[in-house]
Amino acid sequence: MIAIPRQKPVFRFAPSPNGPLHLGHALSALLNRDMAKASGGRFLLRMEDIDLARCTPEFEAGIETDLAWLGIDWEKPPRRQSDHFADYQTALDSLIDRGLAYPAFLTRGEVKAHVTAIENTGTPWPRDPDGSPHYPPTDRTKSAEECKQLLGSGQKHAWRLDMAKAIATVESPLAWSETGDGERGEITADPAAWGDVVLSRSDAPSSYHLSVVVDDALQGITHVVRGLDLYHATSVHRLLQTLLGLPAPTYHHHRLINDADGRKLSKSAGDTGLAELRAKGLSATDIRHLVGL
Ligand code: GLU
């Protein structure tokens, strides 16, 4: 019998270098590395730095120092998203060409004012799983001519997915395979819950959702291991993967590490920051124990 070479599993840790790593990141990075090792797979590092205003080379260097201290080794060099804006543009163009994305001109303040005005009449406004209001239909319903004119005049804009249209072009119901700490098995995706998500921002030539699916595909990621805070975002990722003809990895959303008050850890890591804990004399083994590994 001919032995068919099995594709090696590929894992990635994908932090945004916009702050110092904390215990939550340590759990994510260690789980990824441990699962890669246990399955004979590869472990990659990706710097998700599309937000050029908040991401810095200093934070990036800090991430590498923290990971090395934890005893984690990754394939060099890491992929840096800001080096690959052209890849995200190609994906965006294919959605625009199919009429699945539209230019969105409202500022954050204008969206807020629109939603507040409607809510003040007693009509509820839909919110996404993170609690943000859906983008109003104002721009989705603009004529091609009007959009062309606004774009031509250099008006600042983002690009958003026409969610209803996008879902309508996908044939079968979307799902993903989940092995994490929440619900497991085949999970039905519900991208409509997100409304018209951003594909590229007015201040960044991509968005988290678009770049994460493009990169996972380009890097051949077979297993996405990340926090449960991104569980619902997977619905958007499955839709984009399907629209762009990209493969679906297996997903493992792990428990989150909360602070003493039960809140999600933030980037102003304070006493849960890995650099601070290191300075206090803790070892990498202590960190493993602290995150429950
Ligand atoms: N860059 C994201 C973060 O730092 C993680 C993205 C992902 O793992 O899909 O929260």
Side-chain angles (χ1 to χ4, degrees):
M1 215 167 73
I2 303 166
I4 298 169
R6 203 169 66 89
Q7 194 203 353
K8 265 191 176 186
V10 187
F11 293 76
R12 77 342 184 241
F13 175 55
S16 296
N18 59 7
L21 293 191
H22 53 56
L23 287 173
H25 296 110
L27 173 61
S28 218
L30 286 165
L31 266 181
N32 266 292
R33 195 279 313 264
D34 289 357
M35 289 170 79
K37 218 171 164 178
S39 60
R42 299 166 57 202
F43 174 70
L44 311 181
L45 174 62
R46 180 162 82 223
M47 296 293 177
E48 301 215 323
D49 66 341
I50 54 170
D51 189 344
L52 293 171
R54 292 171 62 221
C55 295
T56 68
E58 290 74 26
F59 285 133
E60 204 176 294
I63 288 171
E64 298 204 358
T65 304
D66 288 345
L67 293 179
W69 173 64
L70 287 174
I72 295 176
D73 197 13
W74 60 93
E75 290 182 19
K76 315 282 185 313
R79 181 175 173 94
R80 186 181 296 119
Q81 289 190 323
S82 60
D83 292 337
H84 298 278
F85 284 133
D87 291 332
Y88 316 131
Q89 187 64 49
T90 304
L92 175 63
D93 286 344
S94 100
L95 296 171
I96 296 173
D97 290 348
R98 285 181 277 161
L100 298 176
Y102 63 86
F105 301 98
L106 295 182
T107 62
R108 210 179 279 247
E110 286 166 336
V111 171
K112 201 168 167 212
H114 181 101
V115 171
T116 308
I118 290 182
E119 283 181 335
N120 283 345
T121 67
T123 310
W125 187 264
R127 306 215 163 229
D128 70 24
D130 285 346
S132 298
H134 282 196
Y135 192 76
T138 324
D139 295 322
R140 192 200 314 135
T141 49
K142 279 192 166 71
S143 69
E145 195 48 47
E146 202 179 342
C147 285
K148 208 171 145 191
Q149 205 185 333
L150 285 164
L151 291 175
S153 72
Q155 176 103 3
K156 249 180 115 174
H157 63 281
W159 284 90
R160 285 183 177 264
L161 186 70
D162 184 331
M163 183 58 80
K165 210 167 168 187
I167 290 173
T169 65
V170 172
E171 272 157 30
S172 46
L174 297 171
W176 78 87
S177 174
E178 174 70 48
T179 62
D181 295 331
E183 211 181 320
R184 289 185 185 171
E186 279 297 293
I187 309 291
T188 305
D190 179 19
W194 289 90
D196 293 352
V197 290
V198 180
L199 298 171
S200 95
R201 297 165 23 169
S202 60
D203 59 352
S206 188
S207 71
Y208 161 62
H209 293 308
L210 185 64
S211 40
V212 85
V213 298
V214 169
D215 282 347
D216 283 342
L218 288 177
Q219 293 191 286
I221 304 298
T222 57
H223 293 74
V224 170
V225 179
R226 60 187 179 192
L228 271 167
D229 52 337
L230 292 168
Y231 180 88
H232 292 291
T234 312
S235 287
V236 176
H237 300 170
R238 287 293 300 116
L239 175 61
L240 290 175
Q241 284 158 354
T242 308
L243 293 171
L244 295 167
L246 307 175
T250 296
Y251 288 88
H252 182 103
H253 291 94
H254 61 74
R255 64 193 159 81
L256 301 176
I257 307 269
N258 292 328
D259 68 11
D261 301 321
R263 277 189 304 260
K264 196 184 138 186
L265 299 183
S266 69
K267 285 280 178 178
S268 46
D271 57 4
T272 66
L274 299 183
E276 285 215 29
L277 294 168
R278 180 163 67 247
K280 277 188 191 156
L282 271 75
S283 68
T285 309
D286 294 331
I287 301 297
R288 278 194 83 90
H289 294 154
L290 272 177
V291 299
L293 289 177

